[in-house]
Amino acid sequence: MNIKKQITKRICAAICALTLLAAWGEASVSASVSTSVNDSNSVIITIDTSAGHKNISPYIYGINAESDLDDVTVNAVRQSDKRISSYNWENNYSRSNGSNSLYLVNNYPANRRQEPGLFAESIVSTARRYNIPSKYVTLQIMDQIAGNSEVSLKKVLFDKNDSYLSSPDTEDDAVYMDEYVSYLVNKYGYAADGGINGYFLGNEPENYSELYPDAVTEKMTAEELVTRSSELAYAVKKIDPTALVYGPSLNGIISFININNSDDWDQYSNEYSWFIDYYLASMKNKSDSMGMRLLDVLDVKYHTEATNSLYQPIINSSDRLSDSIRMQAPRILWDSSYTENSNAVLMHNEHIPLIPTLDASINMYYPGTKLSFSEYNFGGGDVISGGIAVADTLGIFASYNVHMACVKPNTDDISFIKSALNIYTNYDGEGSRFGNNLVRSENDGDIMSSVYASINGNDESTLKVIIINKNQTAKKSTEINIRSKADFNAVDIYSFGGENPEIIKQDSIEGISENSFAIDLEPLSVYMLDFTGSDDDEVLDDYTITDNTTVSGNSSPANNESNLGNITERTEAGTDVSVPEHVEASTYSPASTTEMSIENDVTDAAASVTSVKKDETEPPDTAVIDETDIFPHEEEQKHVPAGIKVFVSILVAAVVLVMGYILANDYILSKNRKNK
């Protein structure tokens, strides 16, 4: 056998091996990069305004306070600077790199910078300036924080067990969190009266020993975090029982699993599948023993951990492939058929998708707890892929009854993220917004598009629909069919996309016939469809859906029955941003359920909250319809489409046989040559 033939055969074998790997790669990551699988240029969208009703919390349309808030309409704003964990509310010092400064309040005149609680005043002022109804303050849970000088530290205590002062004692050895809450309530009122709406129990406690090594010498343990969280939560509730308590505000999948490898996690890992379970169970036990709910909202942070083919984080990338992956990345929140290319997911896939797993933990260990994402980000604030990711995420949050969410961009230019928020909250520049009641929608299982539909209350004539085209090059011809008591005769179409973040009124379609019409979706675009219609008592009983609505992998979370099965209806009925976000004081026993005796400048909180307005709006009635007949689904599993599986299986077998033949024949010929 000559050298050329031998080289040729080895090259053929190598090509076969590469083909095998390519086929396997296409099958395994098709859901994450999604080029041709379930990507159709012609999509049938089906909407049923009488089915699948879920109240949408208005607080999912939030942003972190560090962001540029001009020209964006949001309903929630949160303190978020990393220094905040070390913030001393008595004098406004915070710590970084072993020294203290007034960095967090440097926007104030020098003669005011040491007024108590100035950083909290900043968030209140921001909320007033931008007409943001819900605002949140972070409380310090670290053992030590910034002191009175550039290098000093002070002890953090939760319970002063003494009279609260109108101006705190800055010369003592401690900073008291209950006195901080008392100060804020005296200054701004109770949450139910428009004061601070919610308090966070610390901020990323898993990172304290890394961020503040001189103040925190050892990593926070699981047990320590629960103990300190329950004590701090009680400090809040005894002062303002109408304020919501959020915790533990961990950041990232590994932190959710083992509090970033805390030293004591092994002793709990046999009983609990991840730290979130242990935290919820422990906070419920603490609540039961105290006679009041100590945790209102399970809060987590998620900044995408997805990487591109070179294992570079997409959150900081803007190449074409990263853009493609970014637009699919929100599927980690809900889609069990999605596989993300990240170390955390590959190592801990049993906890994915995130929201159904978090929800299952809530249902099992602390029912009635709400869910929030106080920070989330998929990158690309200055490009359309980032805008699409946020717009899709907001629809996901609406579908899964998430209570509160604040995007935290990592770029200065966030024009496309602003448009993603505004398309829901103020798409026409005159205050028009997505509805407060999610309804049923379907899009053929096309993973390169998403659809979310809503109405206001039970008024089916107020239909508004968000549609997203994630394809980077191709238009999508879209047929829209609506099942409704309302007869729709016109629709106004608003959109943003491409290189332009501005939301523009693109078209108005009149003369809609039988609640069905067609539109073309431009590549990389987000649409708001605002329908005009009139209520009709007669349901369109003759409405049918064609067979092609059956899907093997759902593209919109509102339609994923297997993932939605464990959802807790957390959002209160008729949530209205005109009513301050709060919980009813009657939910909690007064602080006197313990044997503590506390002299307080604030009168007994539970007794004095007399202006709480009970929300009397009833939740929308869900029509009794067998939705499986209308929107058929296959059982959700982590899989790729069956056709791909068959193709890959045949290809694998063929390649293995060819490679085996080539290598065996090569071996025999080589052996014969040696014998000669």
Side-chain angles (χ1 to χ4, degrees), residues 233-271:
Y234 179 77
V236 174
K237 290 300 182 182
K238 74 180 182 184
I239 305 300
D240 187 357
T242 71
L244 282 81
V245 171
Y246 289 71
S249 299
L250 300 173
N251 185 9
I253 294 172
I254 299 299
S255 296
F256 306 161
I257 292 170
N258 56 28
I259 191 172
N260 203 12
N261 295 305
S262 71
D263 294 337
D264 67 337
W265 176 243
D266 285 346
Q267 63 184 286
Y268 306 110
S269 59
N270 289 333
E271 183 176 356

Side-chain angles (χ1 to χ4, degrees), residues 240-442:
D240 187 357
T242 71
L244 282 81
V245 171
Y246 289 71
S249 299
L250 300 173
N251 185 9
I253 294 172
I254 299 299
S255 296
F256 306 161
I257 292 170
N258 56 28
I259 191 172
N260 203 12
N261 295 305
S262 71
D263 294 337
D264 67 337
W265 176 243
D266 285 346
Q267 63 184 286
Y268 306 110
S269 59
N270 289 333
E271 183 176 356
Y272 300 99
S273 65
W274 59 346
F275 172 77
I276 296 296
D277 288 351
Y278 170 76
Y279 182 82
L280 288 166
S282 300
M283 289 298 285
K284 183 175 190 307
N285 289 338
K286 298 282 188 181
S287 298
D288 291 344
S289 65
M290 298 298 290
M292 64 175 72
R293 174 180 273 274
L294 296 176
L295 182 71
D296 299 293
V297 188
L298 174 67
D299 177 63
V300 296
K301 303 178 181 183
Y302 182 71
H303 300 251
T304 184
E305 300 174 40
T307 61
N308 59 26
S309 56
L310 299 177
Y311 288 96
Q312 298 169 330
I314 66 162
I315 198 167
N316 298 317
S317 303
S318 59
D319 57 275
R320 186 180 178 87
L321 178 58
S322 295
D323 287 341
S324 177
I325 296 172
R326 178 172 12 258
M327 291 184 287
Q328 296 298 320
R331 292 169 62 189
I332 193 175
L333 297 172
W334 69 273
D335 189 355
S336 61
S337 70
Y338 171 73
T339 302
E340 179 179 276
N341 186 33
S342 67
N343 290 333
V345 170
L346 294 175
M347 293 172 60
H348 303 284
N349 199 38
E350 69 275 15
H351 299 294
I352 307 301
L354 280 174
I355 296 180
T357 309
L358 290 165
D359 194 79
S361 294
I362 288 172
N363 288 340
M364 178 173 291
Y365 292 104
Y366 204 169
T369 306
K370 304 173 191 293
L371 177 62
S372 76
F373 286 80
S374 60
E375 288 184 16
Y376 72 93
N377 183 29
F378 293 92
D382 55 349
V383 293
I384 181 59
S385 64
I388 284 176
V390 171
D392 204 13
T393 300
L394 292 174
I396 293 166
F397 288 158
S399 301
Y400 277 84
N401 302 107
V402 171
H403 175 71
M404 193 276 285
C406 290
V407 64
K408 186 176 182 180
N410 62 328
T411 55
D412 292 332
D413 181 356
I414 59 170
S415 52
F416 281 94
I417 286 179
K418 288 181 178 181
S419 294
L421 287 159
N422 287 338
I423 201 78
Y424 284 90
T425 60
N426 188 17
Y427 55 84
D428 60 355
E430 298 179 1
S432 298
R433 59 178 57 229
F434 198 59
N436 58 25
N437 189 2
L438 197 74
V439 299
R440 182 76 177 185
S441 60
E442 175 63 86

Side-chain angles (χ1 to χ4, degrees), residues 524-670:
L524 297 178
S525 55
V526 181
Y527 289 80
M528 162 63 80
L529 277 56
D530 183 355
F531 289 84
T532 301
S534 60
D535 273 329
D536 188 342
D537 291 334
E538 181 181 357
V539 178
L540 303 178
D541 292 325
D542 59 347
Y543 181 83
T544 59
I545 297 178
T546 56
D547 291 340
N548 57 10
T549 57
T550 302
V551 297
S552 59
N554 298 313
S555 63
S556 295
N559 309 313
N560 190 325
E561 299 297 340
S562 64
N563 283 343
L564 289 173
N566 291 323
I567 290 292
T568 302
E569 295 291 337
R570 287 179 291 261
T571 307
E572 287 102 359
T575 304
D576 185 349
V577 291
S578 65
V579 178
E581 183 190 10
H582 67 282
V583 291
E584 301 297 340
S586 59
T587 304
Y588 302 89
S589 302
S592 59
T593 53
T594 69
E595 297 180 357
M596 298 175 59
S597 176
I598 302 173
E599 272 186 53
N600 194 340
D601 290 343
V602 180
T603 57
D604 181 81
S608 64
V609 182
T610 57
S611 60
V612 176
K613 298 179 181 179
K614 186 174 181 181
D615 198 332
E616 298 177 352
T617 307
E618 295 297 326
D621 295 328
T622 301
V624 180
I625 298 175
D626 185 0
E627 297 182 5
T628 58
D629 292 337
I630 303 174
F631 297 91
H633 296 273
E634 295 179 6
E635 182 179 357
E636 278 286 292
Q637 300 175 6
K638 289 188 178 298
H639 67 287
V640 292
I644 295 293
K645 286 183 176 180
V646 173
F647 170 75
V648 170
S649 297
I650 294 173
L651 183 59
V652 167
V655 170
V656 168
L657 288 173
V658 171
M659 288 177 64
Y661 169 77
I662 291 174
L663 295 175
N665 190 45
D666 190 12
Y667 173 77
I668 293 170
L669 291 175
S670 298

Side-chain angles (χ1 to χ4, degrees), residues 448-520:
M448 296 298 282
S449 66
S450 294
V451 57
Y452 305 97
S454 72
I455 59 176
N456 287 321
N458 286 324
D459 186 354
E460 297 188 24
S461 67
T462 60
L463 177 64
K464 295 176 183 180
V465 179
I466 295 284
I467 307 177
I468 303 171
N469 181 6
K470 305 172 191 177
N471 194 298
Q472 298 190 52
T473 58
K475 289 185 178 181
K476 287 185 180 289
S477 300
T478 307
E479 178 185 330
I480 299 174
N481 299 312
I482 306 168
R483 177 187 175 97
S484 180
K485 295 177 182 178
D487 185 17
F488 297 103
N489 47 54
V491 60
D492 291 332
I493 302 174
Y494 299 80
S495 73
F496 72 93
E499 301 294 326
N500 184 12
E502 182 182 359
I503 298 174
I504 299 172
K505 185 176 181 180
Q506 296 284 359
D507 197 5
S508 292
I509 299 176
E510 298 182 356
I512 294 174
S513 176
E514 297 182 350
N515 282 356
S516 181
F517 67 102
I519 61 171
D520 288 336

